[in-house]
Amino acid sequence: MNGGTASAAIGGVTTRQAGPDDVVGGVRPRWVVLPETVEEVSAALRACAEQDLAVVPAGGGTKLHWAPPPERCDVLLDMCCMNEVIEHAAGDLVVRAQAGVTMGALAGTLAAEGQELALDLPYADDSTVGGTLATGGPPGPRAFRYGTARDLLIGITVVLADGTIAHSGGKVVKNVAGYDLGKLFTGSYGTLGVIAEATFRLHPLPADRRWVIARLPSDGAAKRAAGAVAALSASQAEPSAIEIDRPEPGGPITIAALAEGTAAADRAAALRELIGTGEVAEEPPVWWGRLLGDDVLIELRFPPAATAAVLEAADAARMVLRGSPACGRLLLEPVRPMAEDEPAAVVSALRAGVEAAGGRAHVLALPPGRPYENVDRWGHVGSLPLMRRVKERFDPGRRMSPGRFVGGV
């Protein structure tokens, strides 16, 4: 295909011209390709390889503004038409779904059989299976007990830059020798290929749920919260999630813990005793499992033992926060819009404080252009040489989401 109009389908797959709603990090593609099968994804990528077209895969479009903008984007590969739950083996607690299935639709299908994919994703139900894996998080509250999407993934089908269809785990047909594709592709932002299908391990829906909600006053809140999180994490009452919310820098911290199962009420009462204050509720707090906002969004990862120091670093940077210190993860955003010369310095200072506590700061989302264009999103990444070798192995032509990952990978 040549020129500025779509005179024929790319690879024989339905194609339309891109519009303003198809922008990826401020970069507008030329075409949008809409495959309906794994084979059509393969055909489209073969055609793109032949014409040296750069491709960015897309799911629900809820996180296309995350990560740096692509160096170039000729084709947006929209997976919305690949939206079937292929197999739900309820007796085996396993589901296999196409990448375009929304998390809301998947939850509804599973709930009809009394089961769930225990992710509690902190963003809209119209996020897709493929997009959830490609961005790698951030995980929901119950990652404390059940793990992340990467942990619950047991099989994956991907299509590589040259159109090769490869499988890993689950019902394997073809493997790429020496690589765990599920782990490689989770969090890769589409830079290695296209996630086409995924197989997950499921759990039964809990018989009951109770939340313990406690508000810690601002004076000494960081240390008090860190102590409460440590006590709850070690409790024999086995909470499924431990979350905190601080909507004002230096202000009070609300801590909430979830107990699930037939004895949820009794276990919640035991968790409340550990905190020493709060109430037991049948519904979560309104902020539970929700993003603060994602125009500017920073993810912190750190050893749970460093919770107090990380909270103090976030306070010094004038950030509001929410997340699971029990898992060593928090999401931050500025309390106010930043001036022209602020963002790079604020992120740098925050990162220095978090790294001093043994953690890392990663900028998930930023608006395009000034004043954010000079912000270092990733910081130092020791494994960058390895990541570049993997990119060379899977996408030597740099056609898959070029520049969207660490170090311009």
Side-chain angles (χ1 to χ4, degrees):
M1 181 182 298
N2 297 306
T5 61
S7 58
I10 294 180
V13 182
T14 301
T15 301
R16 65 171 175 82
Q17 288 185 305
D21 293 336
D22 302 311
V23 169
V24 182
V27 179
R28 181 168 169 172
R30 289 191 280 172
W31 302 291
V32 177
V33 177
L34 299 147
E36 298 183 21
T37 65
V38 177
E39 290 71 25
E40 286 197 349
V41 175
S42 174
L45 290 190
R46 283 198 307 272
C48 289
E50 292 168 358
Q51 301 174 62
D52 191 30
L53 300 177
V55 180
V56 174
T62 58
K63 294 177 287 298
L64 281 179
H65 64 296
W66 288 20
E71 295 169 3
R72 59 189 182 109
C73 178
D74 300 304
V75 172
L76 188 73
L77 192 73
D78 190 337
M79 303 293 284
C80 65
C81 297
M82 292 184 60
N83 55 13
E84 294 184 8
V85 177
I86 301 167
E87 179 182 9
H88 178 200
D92 296 326
L93 289 170
V94 169
V95 68
R96 183 163 65 101
Q98 291 182 317
V101 174
T102 65
M103 301 306 291
L106 181 60
T109 297
L110 300 177
E113 298 292 335
Q115 296 178 353
E116 66 173 345
L117 177 58
L119 288 180
D120 299 332
L121 297 172
Y123 24 84
D125 283 347
D126 54 3
S127 295
T128 61
V129 166
T132 296
L133 291 171
T135 56
R142 288 188 299 163
F144 177 68
R145 177 174 181 181
Y146 297 106
T148 65
R150 189 174 187 246
D151 300 310
L152 296 172
L153 181 69
I154 59 176
I156 194 169
T157 297
V158 301
V159 184
L160 307 184
D162 62 358
T164 299
I165 300 172
H167 311 260
S168 180
K171 299 176 180 178
V172 174
V173 178
K174 175 183 176 64
N175 276 304
V176 176
Y179 294 97
D180 183 330
L181 295 179
K183 287 185 171 56
L184 275 181
F185 274 69
T186 299
S188 65
Y189 284 93
T191 56
L192 301 179
V194 179
I195 297 170
E197 297 175 1
T199 303
F200 294 101
R201 175 166 48 93
L202 306 175
H203 290 85
L205 283 170
D208 193 12
R209 287 180 173 141
R210 292 289 191 279
W211 283 263
V212 182
I213 307 167
R215 189 172 185 267
L216 307 179
S218 56
D219 185 24
K223 290 183 179 179
R224 291 191 64 186
V229 167
L232 292 169
S233 300
S235 171
Q236 293 185 356
E238 297 182 337
S240 295
I242 306 164
E243 295 282 296
I244 66 171
D245 178 57
R246 193 176 206 176
E248 179 184 353
I253 294 176
T254 301
I255 184 168
L258 169 64
E260 294 182 305
T262 53
D266 292 340
R267 288 168 45 224
L271 294 173
R272 185 207 170 280
E273 290 301 312
L274 279 176
I275 302 174
T277 185
E279 62 174 353
V280 176
E282 294 185 5
E283 298 293 333
V286 293
W287 51 265
W288 181 269
R290 296 179 181 273
L291 287 179
L292 294 154
D294 64 351
D295 284 337
V296 178
L297 189 63
I298 302 170
E299 182 181 33
L300 306 185
R301 299 191 181 191
F302 53 92
T307 294
V310 168
L311 291 176
E312 290 167 359
D315 186 22
R318 305 299 294 163
M319 296 279 175
V320 300
L321 59 87
R322 184 175 296 161
S324 179
C327 295
R329 288 187 177 93
L330 288 173
L331 294 174
L332 281 62
E333 70 171 350
V335 69
R336 57 172 175 77
M338 287 188 275
E340 184 77 16
D341 59 346
E342 281 190 285
V346 169
V347 170
S348 179
L350 172 66
R351 180 170 285 131
V354 173
E355 289 180 351
R360 292 187 51 77
H362 164 212
V363 182
L364 289 174
L366 288 174
R370 301 177 70 89
Y372 300 100
E373 57 193 3
N374 295 322
V375 172
D376 180 357
R377 289 176 179 259
W378 309 97
H380 174 71
V381 179
S383 58
L384 182 56
L386 174 60
M387 293 178 177
R388 285 176 170 154
R389 290 197 296 272
V390 172
K391 173 70 170 177
E392 175 66 22
R393 164 65 178 84
F394 281 82
D395 180 26
R398 290 185 58 78
R399 290 187 300 273
M400 300 303 306
S401 301
R404 295 269 284 163
F405 200 38
V406 181
V409 165

